[in-house]
Amino acid sequence: MTMPDWPGSWTPGSHTADGVTHPTYRRGTGPGVVVVHEIPGLTAEVIGFADELVEAGYTVVLPHLFGETGLPMSAGQVAKVLPKVCISREFTVMAAGEPSPVVGWLRDLARTLHDELGGPGVGALGMCLTGGFALAMAVDTSVAAPVLCQPSLPFPVGRRRAADLGLSPADLDVVKQRGCSVLGLQFEKDPTTGTRFDTLDRELGDAFIRVDLPGRGHSTVTVHRRQEAVDRVLGFFDDLLSG
């Protein structure tokens, strides 16, 4: 793909919460959306998708949690970054029934953005390894529009992990009590998402908006981008963030 002019018009910054600091990049005007990148990092494909959100009228914040920035997705980059993420204390890749510690930092980032911009809340979109983070972020009332793109944690080894949502039972209860809509996107033959969309169907009922794309792709809005997926995300944000 064409390499983005990076960081170009994106404004570098950082966010600190509970003594943890991560770089951020921000661009756009309008309601806020936090886009959490996939493995192997803040790739050219993730930036390209974020540019689409900016052009659609959103203030987008890109936290940089691991890997490099601005490079195209590649198997070599994945192989380089994945082992480091798996041993990082900020990410829970195998344990069921608990969120990754970095979710607390992301909730604070979303809350800060909402405090600044106002409105009904902000959007939160995670993908792949961070896909379930958007659901865990929705425990905080600042997140009005959570989007789960191919959520892959915990790694679907065994039935329990394959069905797990990557958050505690107490946090799931909070999300259910809030009653906010949740959008989920996956390819129907993607093994990395396990059966957690079935869990979401059961736990959230009509509040879960499920999009199953045909085929064996993985990255629904980036590397294996489908226009249907992007359109559903844009429509979801428009419905919930424009009030």
Side-chain angles (χ1 to χ4, degrees):
M1 68 172 294
T2 302
M3 291 288 288
D5 177 20
W6 180 255
S9 56
W10 289 87
T11 301
S14 65
H15 181 74
T16 301
D18 295 328
V20 176
T21 301
H22 288 290
T24 60
Y25 296 88
R26 175 169 170 162
R27 182 173 172 239
T29 58
V33 175
V34 178
V35 174
V36 193
H37 62 79
E38 59 196 330
I39 289 285
L42 198 47
T43 63
E45 291 85 355
V46 173
I47 296 163
F49 169 71
D51 282 333
E52 291 186 76
L53 294 179
V54 170
E55 292 164 6
Y58 295 97
T59 300
V60 180
V61 175
L62 298 170
H64 180 210
L65 303 180
F66 49 77
E68 299 186 51
T69 66
L71 298 179
M73 172 76 76
S74 71
Q77 285 294 315
V78 172
K80 177 181 178 181
V81 173
L82 184 58
K84 297 177 182 179
V85 172
C86 287
I87 63 173
S88 170
R89 294 181 178 179
E90 288 195 280
F91 300 91
T92 302
V93 299
M94 292 297 289
E98 60 181 89
S100 291
V102 73
V103 166
W105 183 90
L106 289 166
R107 288 173 182 162
D108 192 84
L109 175 64
R111 192 181 310 121
T112 300
L113 186 62
H114 181 224
D115 288 346
E116 176 193 343
L117 299 178
V122 301
L125 184 146
M127 50 185 77
C128 183
L129 185 141
T130 70
F133 293 1
L135 183 66
M137 290 168 70
V139 169
D140 197 292
T141 56
S142 65
V143 176
V147 179
L148 288 63
C149 295
Q150 67 277 353
S152 304
L153 287 187
F155 291 149
V157 180
R159 290 185 178 181
R160 183 186 177 200
R161 293 189 184 94
D164 193 80
L165 301 179
L167 73 168
S168 69
D171 283 351
L172 177 58
D173 284 343
V174 172
V175 174
K176 291 166 70 172
Q177 290 166 11
R178 285 194 62 200
C180 67
S181 296
V182 176
L183 177 64
L185 305 102
Q186 66 175 359
F187 282 92
E188 61 185 6
K189 295 182 180 180
D190 183 358
T192 71
T193 57
T195 59
R196 50 187 57 104
F197 273 27
D198 295 336
T199 303
L200 287 163
D201 280 333
R202 183 177 65 252
E203 295 291 343
L204 301 185
D206 291 341
F208 180 51
I209 303 168
R210 177 174 180 164
V211 178
D212 293 298
L213 302 170
R216 284 189 174 275
H218 176 62
S219 298
T220 53
V221 296
T222 57
V223 178
H224 307 126
R225 181 188 186 282
R226 294 291 184 271
Q227 188 61 46
E228 175 190 353
V230 175
D231 289 344
R232 293 297 291 269
V233 171
L234 291 174
F236 185 69
F237 286 158
D238 186 57
D239 288 343
L240 296 181
L241 303 181
S242 298

